[in-house]
Amino acid sequence: MNSHRVSEEIGLQAGSPIRLNNAAGIRVRCLRGTIWITVANEPSDVFLGSGQSYLISRNGLSLVEQIGNSSIQLERRGAEGWLKGLIRRLKNGPER
């Protein structure tokens, strides 16, 4: 049984970083373009190109931003409800 949960492709919007709170254990995969990841309390930022991925190892706020036309995929072990909720918020905006 596969305990990994993977999101569908998420297109990033210019000037609108994706905010991931308490994101330890999430793998961010760059599917297209270049992305910039900032993780709270990490000494440096991470830049990924198409086909590369990064495993977030700390909780706190993480920001994922595009550089040019980019898309990502998110993966987390055993977190189906959490990941589905995140995808819904990214597609539909925050609940009001």
Side-chain angles (χ1 to χ4, degrees), residues 78-92:
E80 184 175 359
W82 177 90
L83 194 54
K84 283 183 179 179
L86 174 63
I87 292 167
R88 186 175 50 253
R89 286 191 307 276
L90 291 172
K91 285 185 172 183
N92 303 325

Side-chain angles (χ1 to χ4, degrees), residues 1 7 9-10 15-16 25 29 42 45 49 56 58 60-61 68-69 71 78 84 93 95:
M1 177 178 188
S7 74
E9 184 172 351
I10 300 168
S16 297
R29 186 173 314 282
E42 284 287 328
D45 291 346
I56 298 173
R58 294 179 185 246
L61 178 63
N69 188 16
S71 65
K84 283 183 179 179
E95 293 180 9

